[in-house]
């Protein structure tokens, strides 16, 4: 049997290479070749925001669900993109997976009601502020800067530190930086290199979470039920292997990319402890505001935020 | 510049559809003007006040562009603005052309009706689930689906009308259907340019 | 087999004169139905229509067209063309040569070649016909000069390529400058050669004294204002290329107001005409999407790129085959659909062959220029036909010599990649 998998990552993207393809290969291996995949990358089957719908309607079997592209349909899943208390990809990924996997509270609240189940996921290393020329020394450094940020909670994060969020398509970012349309970006380290930002950047933050990005893949419940129990088990097992290995690679790549940027002249700054605590306290408020807004719409905002924070604590305990 | 008249006067159902089309294309034009003003305001605010309009992306991407496209669909078809290839048409027997176009427009009607129906499905789903653009942009998403639904429903009707007219032309052998105006082939023109 | 049937359905409806957008949509939909039944069809129809319009970046299309409408109303385009024709003077075919220069000038402002073609079609085309130019020569040079706008920055096509291929847009835009100038020169030379062969196709113009030449430059002032508003705002960092399209439309409107040529009726006419032209383009893109998803699901694009990747030939030979493939696709398909459909599958092959993605982007756009003017799917020729109401057959025949000239330019850029890559490397 051949399953169609569709996502929106450019060819060679590290998530596709280290998570998606690894998972697919492992499933084929575990099922002794019974299950094979046709892979449609780079929005070949549809825009990022349409891929989950294409999985729901059966045009593809497995579709990419980039949570921030689906903010209208998956508002609760946005919990993983909040600036919460994690700075490592595996920490965030592990916690998110524990609440979003089939049977978890996020699955019950949001994915199951829409007839989809999450197969595997990665929460990216958190976003950092990186600037073209203005030095970052403390919490006040960001005041008045124009920073590229997209997506609701990231824009709020930018406003919270006193800067102005500017929405610019990612491929136009480098030009915007070099010409001074913006002073800096809110980006993961590993996205700065592919977009060619490194030569334009001078300063960056580290060890702080300004928000993240959740990349997950879903299958419709109906399609899942058509698979044999052996295949289902193979997929679940493959996920339990691929998820931790992929986030570990993402962390390594994050460090590597950071080093490459250092080599190109970018200085990464750890904010003074007092400033960092102040910013983190401010940023935590975003989560509470987010939860309250969703509660107001009759959704389980607080419940999911609490579950995610507990999962983060557990993960932190487990790794120590 | 092209003018906005068709080659024969509208009567009956076609005239009624044309009124609906004019109303929608008016909204489409207004949306274009708003996009222009919002972009200029956004850039100006960014420099003068250092505070851009945070909502311009969502307003334009979610509502205005959808309005521009789908509310102009049927009017553009009515005025033969959806380009078709005229190289072979004159060489083919008229009745064959009409029969083929009747089939083509019938299939198109079915396809556009499916688009309208799917859009209606998404409108009601987004409406009843109270889907908002995002947790921080509290605008409903159903109006985009609804605009798509209205625009594609209207062009479905226009296509159905074309199907009937071409079928009638095929059966009777008379030129009942509204065909694209013939191209200019004279050596020079007077009205164009300024 | 399915692919063949679907291509036959497409060709049939195109030939009998069903609108191009509908022909692509229903043939693609039949293909989807044959591949996966109603499930595929309704699934695609549920998502793709809205996604065609549902994006911020897509405003470059209507905004550049709106700018073109205002530029036409203001008479600025006429002035630019008239100035170019005064400078060209008594040369045989001077107006046709002036059209190429006006096309390059307008290309420096407009990111959309259809918008540029619309402008040229309503300005230089009537002037040439009045002077007794062969309509084939006039229509051909108008249609091809419009395509310069997609090569000379700013360019929607290059921006789109940058988004799909994840290549820095700045490098791509700068990379288009020298090829843009080469293509301009190629258009001029083609006109000269045509007139060598058939001097009756165009009259000679008249000579103007230097005083008048200089005086004509004053009329170009508003055009420079527009150039500052669009390209100036991009290079100074005031605005992104997307925003610059909106600024351009606004400034063109101000120029039309200032020249006292913009009436309420004219304003409404510009909006409605823009809505219709944008709608026509977006509807074709929608049809192309439906068709494209069918092609993707049928796996022909993948099989094709796998086949090319496995060829045992020199890199140059493979690149020649790839470019021929792009030219052939350009006959039948919309250029935007080609970009979306092929770049994700071709780019890895191209990079594996050792070619630069910026160079490849510019090459794809130069081949796309050819596709814009070749039958049966020649978007620029469609737009020229829409604005001048000349027969498509005449326009397609008139543009043929320019297609051959373009092929020579493509060969040149293939032989000397530095023509594309040198300028970005100095930035
Ligand atoms: Na241009
Ligand atoms: Na073509």
């Amino acid at each position: 049997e051949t399953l169609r998998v569709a996502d929106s990552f450019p060819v060679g993207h590290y998530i596709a290479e280290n998570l998606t393809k690894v998972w697919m290969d492992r499933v084929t291996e575990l099922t002794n070749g019974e299950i094979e995949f046709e892979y449609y990358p780079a929005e070949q089957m549809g825009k990022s925001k349409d891929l989950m719908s294409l999985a729901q309607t059966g045009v593809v079997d497995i579709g990419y669900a980039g949570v921030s592209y689906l903010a209208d349909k998956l508002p609760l899943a946005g919990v993983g993109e909040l600036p919460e208390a994690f700075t490592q990809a595996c920490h965030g990924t592990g916690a998110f997976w524990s609440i979003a996997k089939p049977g978890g509270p996020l699955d019950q609240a949001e994915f199951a009601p829409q007839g989809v189940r999450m197969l595997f996921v990665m929460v990216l290393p958190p976003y950092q502020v990186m600037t073209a020329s203005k030095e970052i020394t403390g919490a006040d450094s960001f005041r008045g800067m124009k920073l590229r940020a997209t997506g609701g909670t990231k824009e709020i994060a930018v406003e919270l530190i006193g800067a102005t969020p500017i929405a610019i398509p990612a491929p136009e970012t480098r030009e915007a930086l070099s010409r001074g349309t913006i002073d800096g970006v809110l980006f993961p380290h590993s996205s700065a290199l592919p977009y060619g930002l490194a030569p334009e950047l001078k300063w960056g933050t580290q060890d702080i979470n300004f928000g993240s990005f959740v990349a997950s893949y879903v299958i419709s419940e109906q399609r899942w039920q058509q698979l044999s129990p052996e295949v289902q088990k193979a997929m679940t097992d493959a996920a339990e292997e691929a998820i931790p290995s992929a986030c570990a690679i993402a962390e390594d790549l994050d460090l590597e990319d950071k080093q490459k940027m250092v080599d190109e002249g970018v200085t990464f700054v750890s904010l003074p402890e007092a400033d960092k605590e102040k910013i983190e306290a401010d940023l935590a408020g975003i989560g509470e505001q987010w939860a309250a807004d969703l509660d107001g719409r009759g959704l389980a905002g607080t419940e999911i935020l609490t579950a995610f924070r507990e999962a983060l604590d557990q993960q932190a305990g487990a790794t120590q | 510049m092209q003018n906005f008249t068709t080659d024969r006067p509208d009567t009956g159902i076609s005239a009624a559809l044309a009124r609906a089309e004019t109303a929608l294309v008016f909204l489409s034009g207004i949306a274009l003007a708003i996009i222009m003003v919002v972009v200029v305001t956004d850039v100006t605010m960014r420099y003068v006040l250092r505070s851009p309009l945070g909502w311009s992306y969502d307003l334009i991407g979610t509502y205005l562009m959808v309005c521009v496209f789908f509310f102009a669909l049927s009017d553009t078809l009515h005025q033969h603005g959806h380009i078709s290839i005229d190289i072979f048409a004159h060489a083919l027997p008229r009745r064959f052309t009409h029969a083929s176009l009747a089939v083509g427009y019938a299939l198109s009607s079915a396809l556009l009706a499916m688009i309208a129906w799917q859009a209606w499905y998404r409108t009601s789903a987004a409406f009843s689930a109270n889907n908002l653009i995002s947790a921080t942009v509290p605008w409903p998403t159903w109006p985009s689906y609804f605009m798509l639904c209205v625009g594609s429903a209207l062009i479905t009707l226009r296509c159905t009308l074309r199907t009937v007219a071409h079928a009638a032309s095929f059966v009777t052998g008379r030129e009942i259907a509204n065909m694209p105006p013939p191209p200019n082939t004279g050596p020079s023109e007077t009205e164009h340019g300024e | 087999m399915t692919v063949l049937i679907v291509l036959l359905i497409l060709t049939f409806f195109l030939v009998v004169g069903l609108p191009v957008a509908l022909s692509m949509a229903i043939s693609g939909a039949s293909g989807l139905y044959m591949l996966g039944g109603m499930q595929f069809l309704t699934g695609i129809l549920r998502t793709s229509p809205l996604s065609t319009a549902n994006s911020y970046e897509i405003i470059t299309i209507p905004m550049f067209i709106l700018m073109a409408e205002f530029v036409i109303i203001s008479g600025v385009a006429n002035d630019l063309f008239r100035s170019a024709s005064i400078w060209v003077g008594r040369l045989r075919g001077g107006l046709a040569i002036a059209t190429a220069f006006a096309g390059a000038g307008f290309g420096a402002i407009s990111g959309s070649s259809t918008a540029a073609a619309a402008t040229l079609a309503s300005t230089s085309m009537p002037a040439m016909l009045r002077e007794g130019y062969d309509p084939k020569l006039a229509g051909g040079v108008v249609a091809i000069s419009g395509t310069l706008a997609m090569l000379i920055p700013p360019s929607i096509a290059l921006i789109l390529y940058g988004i799909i291929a994840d290549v820095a847009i700045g490098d791509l835009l700068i990379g288009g400058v020298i090829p843009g100038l080469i293509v301009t020169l190629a258009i001029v030379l083609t006109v000269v050669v045509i007139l060598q062969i058939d001097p009756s196709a165009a009259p000679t113009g008249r000579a103007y004294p230097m005083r008048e030449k200089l005086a004509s430059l004053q009329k170009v002032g508003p055009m420079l204002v527009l150039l500052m508003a669009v390209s100036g705002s991009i290079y100074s960092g005031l605005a992104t290329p997307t925003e610059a399209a909106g600024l351009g439309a606004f400034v063109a409107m101000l120029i039309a107001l200032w020249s006292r040529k913009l009436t309420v009726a004219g304003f409404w006419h510009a909006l409605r005409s823009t809505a219709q032209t944008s709608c026509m383009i977006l509807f074709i893109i929608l049809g192309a999407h439906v068709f494209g998803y069918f092609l993707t699901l049928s796996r022909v694009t993948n099989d094709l790129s796998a086949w090319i990747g496995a060829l045992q030939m020199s890199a140059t030979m493979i690149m020649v085959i790839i470019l021929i493939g792009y030219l052939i696709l350009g006959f039948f398909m919309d250029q935007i659909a080609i970009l979306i459909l092929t770049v994700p599958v071709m780019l890895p092959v191209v990079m594996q062959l050792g070619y630069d993605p910026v160079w490849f982007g510019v090459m794809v756009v130069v081949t796309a220029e050819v596709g814009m003017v070749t039958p049966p799917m020649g978007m620029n020729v469609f737009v020229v036909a829409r604005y001048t109401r000349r027969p498509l057959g005449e326009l397609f025949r008139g543009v043929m010599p320019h297609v051959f000239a373009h092929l020579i330019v493509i060969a040149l850029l293939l032989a000397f990649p530095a023509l594309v890559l040198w300028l970005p490397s100095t930035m």
Side-chain angles (χ1 to χ4, degrees), chain A residues 98-178:
Chain A
S98 73
I99 64 167
K101 70 163 78 170
L106 182 57
D107 171 67
Q108 295 299 307
E110 198 155 77
F111 288 92
Q114 306 206 35
V116 292
R117 61 161 56 216
M118 190 180 287
L119 287 173
F120 51 97
V121 65
M122 168 138 72
V123 178
L124 268 52
Y127 285 43
Q128 304 297 329
V129 174
M130 290 171 269
T131 63
S133 58
K134 298 189 178 167
E135 187 175 354
I136 298 171
T137 50
D140 291 338
S141 309
F142 309 112
R143 212 153 289 281
M145 279 185 185
K146 285 174 288 187
L147 298 178
R148 188 255 180 195
T150 50
T153 50
K154 299 204 180 54
E155 287 173 19
I156 298 178
V158 166
E159 280 169 359
L160 266 179
I161 57 174
T164 306
I166 310 271
I168 285 179
E172 288 183 6
T173 309
R174 196 188 100 181
E175 288 210 271
L177 265 179
S178 69

Side-chain angles (χ1 to χ4, degrees), chain A:
Chain A
E1 202 173 358
T2 304
L3 301 184
R4 294 181 298 276
V5 180
D7 65 27
S8 65
F9 296 113
V11 180
H13 191 281
Y14 76 95
I15 295 179
E17 294 298 324
N18 300 306
L19 178 63
T20 321
K21 288 183 182 170
V22 168
W23 181 84
M24 291 191 295
D25 290 346
R26 192 72 185 117
V27 170
T28 304
E29 213 175 286
L30 289 172
T31 58
N32 296 317
E34 185 197 329
I35 295 290
E36 291 187 334
F37 296 95
E38 272 173 9
Y39 177 48
Y40 299 93
E43 296 199 325
Q44 279 191 323
M45 277 318 304
K47 299 277 171 67
S48 301
K49 64 175 186 302
D50 291 337
L51 291 167
M52 185 173 87
S53 171
L54 291 173
Q56 287 169 316
T57 50
V59 176
V60 299
D61 298 299
I62 295 169
Y64 169 61
V67 163
S68 56
Y69 298 109
L70 295 165
D72 57 335
K73 298 198 192 74
L74 301 175
L76 291 169
V79 71
E81 305 194 334
L82 292 170
E84 287 296 307
F86 67 93
T87 57
Q88 298 293 315
C90 284
H91 187 189
T93 303
F96 189 84
W97 176 235
S98 73
I99 64 167
K101 70 163 78 170
L106 182 57
D107 171 67
Q108 295 299 307
E110 198 155 77
F111 288 92
Q114 306 206 35
V116 292
R117 61 161 56 216
M118 190 180 287
L119 287 173
F120 51 97
V121 65
M122 168 138 72
V123 178
L124 268 52
Y127 285 43
Q128 304 297 329
V129 174
M130 290 171 269
T131 63
S133 58
K134 298 189 178 167
E135 187 175 354
I136 298 171
T137 50
D140 291 338
S141 309
F142 309 112
R143 212 153 289 281
M145 279 185 185
K146 285 174 288 187
L147 298 178
R148 188 255 180 195
T150 50
T153 50
K154 299 204 180 54
E155 287 173 19
I156 298 178
V158 166
E159 280 169 359
L160 266 179
I161 57 174
T164 306
I166 310 271
I168 285 179
E172 288 183 6
T173 309
R174 196 188 100 181
E175 288 210 271
L177 265 179
S178 69
R179 300 196 171 121
T181 314
I182 50 176
D183 301 310
V185 296
L186 193 59
F187 247 49
H189 292 142
S190 47
S191 298
L193 284 177
Y195 287 112
L197 303 188
E200 311 295 338
L201 294 170
K202 278 276 174 308
W203 304 92
T205 58
Q206 58 188 359
D207 306 328
I208 194 162
N209 182 346
F210 286 102
S212 185
F213 184 92
V214 178
S216 72
Y217 288 74
V218 297
I219 187 170
S220 76
E221 186 62 36
Q222 197 189 353
R223 188 74 187 81
W224 175 259
Q225 294 305 339
Q226 292 166 2
L227 299 170
S228 69
E230 294 75 34
V231 171
Q232 292 178 348
K233 181 165 186 316
M235 288 187 171
T236 315
D237 291 349
E240 294 300 344
E241 292 174 33
I243 293 171
S245 77
C247 70
I249 293 175
E251 284 177 8
D252 291 347
L253 284 176
D254 195 62
L255 284 181
E256 249 175 62
D257 289 347
K258 208 169 127 189
Q259 187 53 47
K260 279 186 201 150
M261 289 166 71
V262 170
D263 295 344
E264 292 203 43
V266 182
T267 309
F268 287 96
V269 182
S270 289
L271 296 177
E273 204 51 40
D275 289 20
K276 189 175 172 222
E277 273 169 25
K278 183 185 168 297
I279 288 180
E280 279 175 345
D282 284 350
L283 291 177
I286 294 179
E288 273 130 37
Q289 186 59 49
W290 173 90
D293 286 349
L294 290 177
D295 288 347
R297 284 164 56 190
L299 300 169
T302 303
E303 188 191 323
I304 294 298
L305 180 63
T306 312
F308 186 55
R309 285 181 172 173
E310 279 169 7
L312 281 172
D313 285 347
Q314 268 174 20
Q315 288 284 322
T319 49
Q320 273 161 18

